[in-house]
Amino acid sequence: MILTVTLNTSVDKLYVLDRLCPHEVMRVGEVNNTAGGKGLNVSRAAALLGERVAAMGFVGGHNGALFESLIREDGIEKRFTHVRAETRSCINVRDLETNRSTEFLEPGNPVTAEEVQNFLRDFEAELPSADVVTISGSMPKGVPPDFYASLIETARRRRKPVLLDTSGAALKNALAAKPALIKPNADEIRALLHADASSQREMIAAAERLHQGGVSIVAVSLGKEGVLVVCGGGVYRGVTPDVPVVNTVGCGDSMVGAFAVGLARRTPMEEAIRCAVAVSTANALTKATGFFHQKDLMELLPRVRVERLELSQ
C-alpha cells in the first residue's frame, strides 16, 4: 500500500474562461471541483497505476465534507484526521485564448497542537500497512516547522521509504531526516543550495550534493524538458515526448505518484523513470489534475527516452 500525506488539503476549483481579463467581471464557462492538495494528485496517479492507496491529512468544516465526497470514486481509502478549522479552497483559472493558468492558493487555516498530535497518532497507526509513504505540499499554520522531518524519522524506524515533495523551509528542515526521494524543480534546488545551477552539468552537481547528503534519489523536475535523476545507480535523464498540452497542474505530483509505485514494486530505475515521465506527460493531456487516461499512458511509454549520463556530459 502507498500511504500519502497531504497536511494542507484543499478543494481545488478549475475555472475555464475563453479569455482572462483582469479587473473585469468574468463569467466562467466551466467549473471542475477536485479533492486537492499535492498529495491527493499523487494518490490518484498511484491508484490509476493499480496500487492500493490510503490518503491522510487534515480536513474540516463544510469544505472538508465536500473534499471527502469528491474522492469517493477515485479508489482512494480515506484516513483523514478531522479538525475544527475549515478546509481551504484553491482556484486555477484556465485561459483558453493563451492556454495558460493563473492560480490562487489559500494558505490553509491553523490547526491546534492537539490536532497535530492526533494526526501523528493516526500516522503511526497506518504505517505498518504501508510499503511506501509520500509527503507532499505545504503545512498549515500550527504545524511545527520540523514536522516533516519527524514523520520521515518515524517512517524510517519502521523501514518505510518516504518520498518528499515540498519546498522552502519545509524541504530544508526535512533533509537531515534523509527521505528516500525528493523532487525539487530547478528553481527550488537553486534556492535550497544557494547555487547558480544553470547548465545540466551544474544541475547534476547540485543534485549529487543532496544525494551525498543522504537522499537516496534526487529527481530534479525540468518541466516540459523531463527529469534529471541522481541515485546510487548513476545519473539519468528522462526526456518528455512532445505533446499538445492541455493542463500542466498536477504533472509533477503525478510523477511522484509514479515514482512511489516504482519504489513499492522495486522497479528498475530506468523503467521507473520512463513510467514517471509518461504519467506526468499523460496528466498534461487532460483537464483534471493527478489524472490520466490509460490509452494515453500506453501510447506515451515507448516514446519516453531515458538516458544514462556520463559525468563528462
Side-chain angles (χ1 to χ4, degrees), residues 21-36:
C21 301
H23 315 300
E24 294 186 16
V25 174
M26 299 267 82
R27 298 195 181 277
V28 177
E30 181 182 339
V31 180
N32 182 26
N33 291 322
T34 308

PDB file of all heavy atoms in Angstrom, residues 21-36:
ATOM      1  N   CYS A  21      -9.556  38.424 -18.293  1.00  0.00           N
ATOM      2  CA  CYS A  21      -9.419  39.886 -18.358  1.00  0.00           C
ATOM      3  C   CYS A  21      -9.364  40.430 -16.934  1.00  0.00           C
ATOM      4  O   CYS A  21     -10.413  40.528 -16.273  1.00  0.00           O
ATOM      5  CB  CYS A  21     -10.586  40.511 -19.106  1.00  0.00           C
ATOM      6  SG  CYS A  21     -10.776  39.937 -20.806  1.00  0.00           S
ATOM      7  N   PRO A  22      -8.188  40.753 -16.410  1.00  0.00           N
ATOM      8  CA  PRO A  22      -8.071  41.272 -15.040  1.00  0.00           C
ATOM      9  C   PRO A  22      -8.919  42.524 -14.830  1.00  0.00           C
ATOM     10  O   PRO A  22      -9.111  43.330 -15.748  1.00  0.00           O
ATOM     11  CB  PRO A  22      -6.579  41.583 -14.908  1.00  0.00           C
ATOM     12  CG  PRO A  22      -5.916  40.719 -15.926  1.00  0.00           C
ATOM     13  CD  PRO A  22      -6.885  40.645 -17.072  1.00  0.00           C
ATOM     14  N   HIS A  23      -9.417  42.649 -13.621  1.00  0.00           N
ATOM     15  CA  HIS A  23     -10.182  43.826 -13.176  1.00  0.00           C
ATOM     16  C   HIS A  23     -11.533  43.954 -13.882  1.00  0.00           C
ATOM     17  O   HIS A  23     -12.106  45.037 -13.940  1.00  0.00           O
ATOM     18  CB  HIS A  23      -9.365  45.119 -13.355  1.00  0.00           C
ATOM     19  CG  HIS A  23      -7.939  45.006 -12.900  1.00  0.00           C
ATOM     20  ND1 HIS A  23      -7.615  44.704 -11.591  1.00  0.00           N
ATOM     21  CD2 HIS A  23      -6.778  45.128 -13.568  1.00  0.00           C
ATOM     22  CE1 HIS A  23      -6.292  44.656 -11.480  1.00  0.00           C
ATOM     23  NE2 HIS A  23      -5.770  44.901 -12.658  1.00  0.00           N
ATOM     24  N   GLU A  24     -12.033  42.856 -14.445  1.00  0.00           N
ATOM     25  CA  GLU A  24     -13.360  42.846 -15.050  1.00  0.00           C
ATOM     26  C   GLU A  24     -14.185  41.712 -14.466  1.00  0.00           C
ATOM     27  O   GLU A  24     -13.653  40.764 -13.896  1.00  0.00           O
ATOM     28  CB  GLU A  24     -13.259  42.668 -16.573  1.00  0.00           C
ATOM     29  CG  GLU A  24     -12.599  43.821 -17.305  1.00  0.00           C
ATOM     30  CD  GLU A  24     -12.666  43.641 -18.816  1.00  0.00           C
ATOM     31  OE1 GLU A  24     -13.480  42.807 -19.272  1.00  0.00           O
ATOM     32  OE2 GLU A  24     -11.913  44.339 -19.512  1.00  0.00           O
ATOM     33  N   VAL A  25     -15.524  41.817 -14.602  1.00  0.00           N
ATOM     34  CA  VAL A  25     -16.401  40.722 -14.199  1.00  0.00           C
ATOM     35  C   VAL A  25     -16.274  39.607 -15.234  1.00  0.00           C
ATOM     36  O   VAL A  25     -16.439  39.837 -16.432  1.00  0.00           O
ATOM     37  CB  VAL A  25     -17.864  41.192 -14.102  1.00  0.00           C
ATOM     38  CG1 VAL A  25     -18.783  39.997 -13.829  1.00  0.00           C
ATOM     39  CG2 VAL A  25     -18.016  42.254 -13.018  1.00  0.00           C
ATOM     40  N   MET A  26     -15.956  38.392 -14.758  1.00  0.00           N
ATOM     41  CA  MET A  26     -15.730  37.266 -15.655  1.00  0.00           C
ATOM     42  C   MET A  26     -16.827  36.219 -15.448  1.00  0.00           C
ATOM     43  O   MET A  26     -17.133  35.859 -14.311  1.00  0.00           O
ATOM     44  CB  MET A  26     -14.369  36.613 -15.379  1.00  0.00           C
ATOM     45  CG  MET A  26     -13.150  37.503 -15.577  1.00  0.00           C
ATOM     46  SD  MET A  26     -12.477  37.348 -17.249  1.00  0.00           S
ATOM     47  CE  MET A  26     -13.559  38.466 -18.140  1.00  0.00           C
ATOM     48  N   ARG A  27     -17.372  35.739 -16.535  1.00  0.00           N
ATOM     49  CA  ARG A  27     -18.333  34.643 -16.468  1.00  0.00           C
ATOM     50  C   ARG A  27     -17.607  33.345 -16.809  1.00  0.00           C
ATOM     51  O   ARG A  27     -17.026  33.219 -17.881  1.00  0.00           O
ATOM     52  CB  ARG A  27     -19.508  34.883 -17.408  1.00  0.00           C
ATOM     53  CG  ARG A  27     -20.305  36.132 -17.046  1.00  0.00           C
ATOM     54  CD  ARG A  27     -21.645  36.187 -17.717  1.00  0.00           C
ATOM     55  NE  ARG A  27     -22.343  37.405 -17.349  1.00  0.00           N
ATOM     56  CZ  ARG A  27     -23.045  37.556 -16.225  1.00  0.00           C
ATOM     57  NH1 ARG A  27     -23.133  36.536 -15.375  1.00  0.00           N
ATOM     58  NH2 ARG A  27     -23.653  38.693 -15.956  1.00  0.00           N
ATOM     59  N   VAL A  28     -17.658  32.406 -15.872  1.00  0.00           N
ATOM     60  CA  VAL A  28     -16.919  31.161 -16.009  1.00  0.00           C
ATOM     61  C   VAL A  28     -17.681  30.223 -16.935  1.00  0.00           C
ATOM     62  O   VAL A  28     -18.873  29.972 -16.758  1.00  0.00           O
ATOM     63  CB  VAL A  28     -16.700  30.508 -14.627  1.00  0.00           C
ATOM     64  CG1 VAL A  28     -15.988  29.172 -14.766  1.00  0.00           C
ATOM     65  CG2 VAL A  28     -15.915  31.458 -13.723  1.00  0.00           C
ATOM     66  N   GLY A  29     -16.973  29.693 -17.918  1.00  0.00           N
ATOM     67  CA  GLY A  29     -17.616  28.784 -18.868  1.00  0.00           C
ATOM     68  C   GLY A  29     -17.746  27.365 -18.360  1.00  0.00           C
ATOM     69  O   GLY A  29     -18.672  26.648 -18.711  1.00  0.00           O
ATOM     70  N   GLU A  30     -16.811  26.951 -17.494  1.00  0.00           N
ATOM     71  CA  GLU A  30     -16.803  25.573 -16.992  1.00  0.00           C
ATOM     72  C   GLU A  30     -16.148  25.548 -15.614  1.00  0.00           C
ATOM     73  O   GLU A  30     -15.166  26.254 -15.380  1.00  0.00           O
ATOM     74  CB  GLU A  30     -16.030  24.682 -17.957  1.00  0.00           C
ATOM     75  CG  GLU A  30     -15.954  23.211 -17.572  1.00  0.00           C
ATOM     76  CD  GLU A  30     -15.122  22.413 -18.565  1.00  0.00           C
ATOM     77  OE1 GLU A  30     -14.944  22.863 -19.710  1.00  0.00           O
ATOM     78  OE2 GLU A  30     -14.633  21.338 -18.175  1.00  0.00           O
ATOM     79  N   VAL A  31     -16.697  24.740 -14.710  1.00  0.00           N
ATOM     80  CA  VAL A  31     -16.145  24.589 -13.359  1.00  0.00           C
ATOM     81  C   VAL A  31     -15.914  23.113 -13.087  1.00  0.00           C
ATOM     82  O   VAL A  31     -16.768  22.272 -13.382  1.00  0.00           O
ATOM     83  CB  VAL A  31     -17.101  25.159 -12.284  1.00  0.00           C
ATOM     84  CG1 VAL A  31     -16.504  24.977 -10.891  1.00  0.00           C
ATOM     85  CG2 VAL A  31     -17.392  26.625 -12.539  1.00  0.00           C
ATOM     86  N   ASN A  32     -14.748  22.806 -12.519  1.00  0.00           N
ATOM     87  CA  ASN A  32     -14.437  21.429 -12.149  1.00  0.00           C
ATOM     88  C   ASN A  32     -13.883  21.428 -10.724  1.00  0.00           C
ATOM     89  O   ASN A  32     -12.851  22.042 -10.467  1.00  0.00           O
ATOM     90  CB  ASN A  32     -13.422  20.834 -13.123  1.00  0.00           C
ATOM     91  CG  ASN A  32     -13.100  19.390 -12.823  1.00  0.00           C
ATOM     92  OD1 ASN A  32     -13.904  18.666 -12.250  1.00  0.00           O
ATOM     93  ND2 ASN A  32     -11.907  18.960 -13.194  1.00  0.00           N
ATOM     94  N   ASN A  33     -14.570  20.767  -9.788  1.00  0.00           N
ATOM     95  CA  ASN A  33     -14.118  20.660  -8.401  1.00  0.00           C
ATOM     96  C   ASN A  33     -13.388  19.342  -8.185  1.00  0.00           C
ATOM     97  O   ASN A  33     -13.862  18.284  -8.606  1.00  0.00           O
ATOM     98  CB  ASN A  33     -15.307  20.739  -7.430  1.00  0.00           C
ATOM     99  CG  ASN A  33     -15.924  22.127  -7.396  1.00  0.00           C
ATOM    100  OD1 ASN A  33     -15.230  23.124  -7.460  1.00  0.00           O
ATOM    101  ND2 ASN A  33     -17.245  22.185  -7.300  1.00  0.00           N
ATOM    102  N   THR A  34     -12.246  19.409  -7.510  1.00  0.00           N
ATOM    103  CA  THR A  34     -11.424  18.229  -7.257  1.00  0.00           C
ATOM    104  C   THR A  34     -10.924  18.249  -5.827  1.00  0.00           C
ATOM    105  O   THR A  34     -10.639  19.324  -5.283  1.00  0.00           O
ATOM    106  CB  THR A  34     -10.194  18.206  -8.201  1.00  0.00           C
ATOM    107  OG1 THR A  34     -10.625  18.366  -9.540  1.00  0.00           O
ATOM    108  CG2 THR A  34      -9.416  16.909  -8.074  1.00  0.00           C
ATOM    109  N   ALA A  35     -10.840  17.068  -5.207  1.00  0.00           N
ATOM    110  CA  ALA A  35     -10.171  16.964  -3.903  1.00  0.00           C
ATOM    111  C   ALA A  35      -8.690  17.213  -4.134  1.00  0.00           C
ATOM    112  O   ALA A  35      -8.019  16.430  -4.802  1.00  0.00           O
ATOM    113  CB  ALA A  35     -10.409  15.585  -3.298  1.00  0.00           C
ATOM    114  N   GLY A  36      -8.178  18.320  -3.600  1.00  0.00           N
ATOM    115  CA  GLY A  36      -6.841  18.765  -3.955  1.00  0.00           C
ATOM    116  C   GLY A  36      -5.858  18.818  -2.813  1.00  0.00           C
ATOM    117  O   GLY A  36      -6.103  18.339  -1.702  1.00  0.00           O
TER     118      GLY A  36
END
